[in-house]
């Protein structure tokens, strides 16, 4: 067969038609408009937030669907066609400069989102997400309502949990600073409350801790750990002041395990996020030593040396001995 311009055009059209049929035709013919088990309609407020999401190009950096190959980045559920019934336009996005948001509802309380939209650097110091302060408070509320609805009925459950724990956290905060810390510590399981930091607070560990603190924590807890970073005015209860914690060591000695547990899991209902998906275990212990040495003035590191990591444990004697028994 001789290749002529007409044949070339017909061939190109056939390839185009066949691929359109496979990519667009088959899915739209076989897709059912049946709602999935988590689907629920959006409220007017959430709908307004969805419009803002589309209008402001959030999808240039965020996707709204989780794929099978996302199990290894901590997915909880794979997206289904029925999740998107009635969403117009359903922009799924393929860029992930930021995280996927399809199940983001209830990951954080509302005040965290308000602070984050005002200035993402408040909550996530090295974030490159733009500030949306120019939208004004009303539209930021609508965006927050939309983001909290992502994940449908599953998100509603998580949001309800955030609200329940927020009420408890606010009550504890209002009871006074010491009662607040006692309450926060009482949430930590017993075995963690008596666990010293297994890694020495070596010079390198403290340098690592400092760097990680600057990248993730500084704009809430502040450069001197007093809880007065620029985000403090946007989250309530405000970020914890570490400098008073010396009064609250468990059995007058332990704090490392409490720090580790809180940093790993976050504190539901408060602005304190979990970092289990962002930071490896050693980095969390480094942070615990950094908070201890620089803000509390005490670390329980190597109180009970276990030699858990010979290759990285220098000979190190803790220059911060446990405080005298009645120093409380
Ligand atoms: C230039 C890229 C970019 C754009 C545009 C962008 N984001 Fe982000 N977003 C990010 C990055 C990066 C993160 C992760 C760091 C952080 O928390 O800020 C993020 C985080 C988030 C989070 C927090 C997710 C979590 O649970 O930790 C939400 C919610 C969010 N973005 C919503 C939005 C919305 C709504 C818009 C549009 C109004 C938007 N983003 C526009 C990059 C972007
Ligand atoms: C968005 C603001 C925010 C960010 C970011 C943040 N925190 Fe917090 N943090 C809080 C709030 C709020 C509390 C609890 C305050 C309360 O309920 O009184 C808290 C509590 C804590 C506690 C509990 C202390 C105790 O004695 O029980 C630790 C530890 C902690 N934060 C460490 C960190 C570390 C380390 C980082 C960075 C990796 C970090 N936080 C990032 C807001 C934040």
């Amino acid at each position: 067969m001789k290749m002529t311009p007409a044949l070339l055009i017909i061939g190109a059209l056939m390839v185009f038609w066949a691929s359109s049929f496979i990519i667009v035709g088959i899915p739209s013919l076989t897709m059912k408009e049946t709602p999935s088990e988590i689907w629920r309609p959006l409220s007017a407020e959430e709908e307004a937030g969805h419009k803002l999401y589309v209008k402001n190009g959030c999808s240039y950096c965020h996707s709204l669907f989780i794929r099978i190959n996302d199990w290894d980045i901590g997915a909880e559920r794979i997206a289904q066609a029925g999740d998107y019934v009635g969403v117009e336009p359903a922009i799924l996005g393929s860029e992930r400069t930021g995280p996927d948001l399809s199940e983001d509802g209830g990951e954080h309380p509302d005040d965290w989102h308000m602070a984050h939209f005002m200035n993402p650097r408040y909550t996530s110091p090295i974030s490159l997400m733009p500030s949306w302060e120019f939208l004004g408070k009303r539209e930021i509320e609508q965006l927050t309502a939309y983001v909290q609805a992502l994940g449908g009925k599953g998100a509603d459950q998580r949001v309800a949990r955030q609200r329940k724990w927020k009420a408890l956290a606010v009550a504890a905060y209002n009871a006074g600073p010491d009662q607040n810390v006692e309450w926060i510590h009482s949430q930590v399981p017993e075995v963690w409350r008596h666990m010293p930091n297994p890694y020495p607070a070596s010079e390198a560990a403290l340098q690592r801790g400092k760097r990680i603190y600057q990248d993730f924590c500084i704009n809430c807890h502040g450069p001197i750990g007093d809880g007065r970073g620029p985000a403090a005015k946007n989250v309530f209860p405000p970020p914890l002041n570490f400098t008073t914690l010396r009064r609250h060591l468990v059995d007058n000695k332990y704090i490392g395990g409490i720090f580790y547990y809180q940093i790993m899991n976050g504190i539901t209902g408060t602005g304190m996020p979990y970092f289990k998906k962002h930071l490896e275990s050693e980095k969390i212990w480094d942070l615990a030593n950094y908070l201890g040495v620089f803000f509390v003035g005490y670390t329980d590191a190597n109180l009970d040396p276990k030699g858990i990591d010979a290759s990285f444990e220098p000979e190190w004697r803790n220059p911060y001995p446990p405080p005298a028994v009645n120093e409380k």
Side-chain angles (χ1 to χ4, degrees):
M1 192 163 45
K2 194 162 174 280
M3 189 65 86
T4 62
L7 200 62
L8 199 69
I9 291 170
I10 292 172
L13 283 175
M14 280 171 73
V15 170
F16 177 72
W17 179 85
S19 46
S20 312
F21 181 71
I22 292 167
I23 295 169
V24 184
I26 295 180
S28 61
L29 288 176
T30 53
M31 204 136 78
K32 290 193 278 311
E33 283 275 297
T34 322
S36 67
E37 84 286 2
I38 61 161
W39 183 88
R40 67 158 174 80
L42 294 181
S43 70
E45 181 86 345
E46 293 156 3
E47 191 57 62
H50 174 62
K51 295 259 148 49
L52 289 165
Y53 186 93
V54 175
K55 202 162 96 183
N56 288 286
C58 309
S59 58
Y60 293 128
C61 291
H62 292 285
S63 64
L64 282 178
F65 71 117
I66 297 176
R67 307 156 302 182
I68 292 170
N69 48 345
D70 291 334
W71 283 124
D72 63 349
I73 55 165
E76 298 288 343
R77 180 180 171 280
I78 302 304
Q80 297 168 22
D83 299 350
Y84 305 92
V85 175
V87 180
E88 199 47 61
I91 297 187
L92 302 189
S94 57
E95 288 300 315
R96 283 192 182 163
T97 306
D100 179 89
L101 295 179
S102 56
E103 295 277 343
D104 203 56
E107 280 279 300
H108 303 277
D110 291 346
D111 56 345
W112 184 94
H113 282 294
M114 298 291 288
H116 180 249
F117 283 130
M118 286 293 282
N119 185 345
R121 259 69 57 202
Y122 282 172
T123 58
S124 322
I126 50 173
S127 177
L128 50 65
M129 173 160 146
S131 155
W132 302 96
E133 192 177 356
F134 71 91
L135 291 175
K137 183 156 178 281
R138 187 68 203 103
E139 295 197 340
I140 289 185
E141 279 167 3
Q142 293 171 336
L143 269 181
T144 301
Y146 172 61
V147 171
Q148 293 289 47
L150 288 171
K153 291 178 189 162
D156 290 347
Q157 263 175 33
R158 296 190 290 270
V159 169
R161 262 187 91 226
Q162 292 283 6
R163 300 224 162 110
K164 177 183 143 201
W165 284 94
K166 157 89 58 199
L168 296 171
V170 167
Y173 180 77
N174 289 335
D178 287 334
Q179 289 88 331
N180 188 36
V181 173
E182 295 296 334
W183 180 78
I184 298 177
H185 286 186
S186 72
Q187 310 303 316
V188 176
E190 198 48 41
V191 12
W192 290 94
R193 287 157 50 81
H194 289 92
M195 191 179 296
N197 195 322
Y199 289 100
S202 62
E203 202 43 51
L206 294 176
Q207 287 297 337
R208 291 194 298 265
K210 178 179 177 185
R211 181 60 196 246
I212 302 162
Y213 184 81
Q214 288 170 346
D215 286 354
F216 291 94
C217 329
I218 195 165
N219 288 342
C220 278
H221 289 285
I224 57 168
D226 60 356
R228 298 172 72 175
K233 59 182 184 300
N234 296 90
V235 286
F236 192 78
L240 203 77
N241 176 354
F242 300 125
T243 63
T244 62
L245 290 179
R246 195 145 173 164
R247 296 203 288 277
H248 298 280
L249 307 179
V250 173
D251 291 347
N252 223 27
K253 319 205 254 238
Y254 299 109
I255 188 80
I258 291 185
F259 280 165
Y260 187 95
Y261 187 87
Q262 311 276 40
I263 300 168
M264 180 168 68
N265 297 303
I267 304 179
T268 307
T270 78
M272 176 66 193
Y274 62 75
F275 290 93
K276 62 188 170 200
K277 291 186 182 165
H278 301 77
L279 299 173
E280 298 89 334
S281 175
E282 189 195 30
K283 292 183 177 169
I284 300 184
W285 287 120
D286 288 339
L287 275 170
N289 267 328
Y290 176 75
L291 301 186
V293 170
F294 283 92
F295 305 144
V296 185
Y298 169 74
T299 176
D300 55 18
N302 269 8
L303 268 191
D304 182 14
K306 295 271 196 325
I308 58 170
D309 190 358
S311 53
F312 288 105
E313 274 176 39
E315 269 314 308
W316 184 79
R317 283 193 42 236
N318 190 344
Y320 305 93
V325 176
N326 49 12
E327 204 188 284
K328 218 174 164 151

